[in-house]
Amino acid sequence: MKTLEIDWTRCDRHGLCAALLPTRFELDEWGFPVLRDKTVTEPDESDVRHVVAACPALALRLERTR
């Protein structure tokens, strides 16, 4: 299983993650992303990888859980 993580020290509030994958992200009142669910299932992994790669601040990462 994998989880999606946000590096808050890198996030610049571009909002691209929420625009590309609104089922997983929403933006708070300051424009920071809020994860609806951190768990990434195999059917969702391709979409999540696309958003991680598209983040201009490199603030998203996909981590393997134990």
Side-chain angles (χ1 to χ4, degrees):
M1 183 180 296
K2 296 180 181 170
T3 60
L4 180 59
E5 301 292 335
I6 300 172
D7 182 343
W8 298 109
T9 63
R10 291 181 171 228
C11 183
D12 288 333
R13 304 178 306 175
H14 292 279
L16 186 58
C17 53
L20 292 174
L21 200 55
T23 57
R24 182 148 317 249
F25 294 95
E26 62 183 292
L27 299 178
D28 69 10
E29 59 269 20
W30 299 284
F32 285 102
V34 177
L35 280 170
R36 296 175 193 262
D37 187 6
K38 294 174 73 166
T39 304
V40 178
T41 60
E42 190 173 326
D44 296 331
E45 189 172 336
S46 177
D47 290 337
V48 170
R49 284 188 182 279
H50 174 73
V51 172
V52 168
C55 178
L58 304 175
L60 302 174
R61 67 183 180 275
L62 191 58
E63 293 187 349
R64 186 179 313 252
T65 56
R66 296 178 184 183

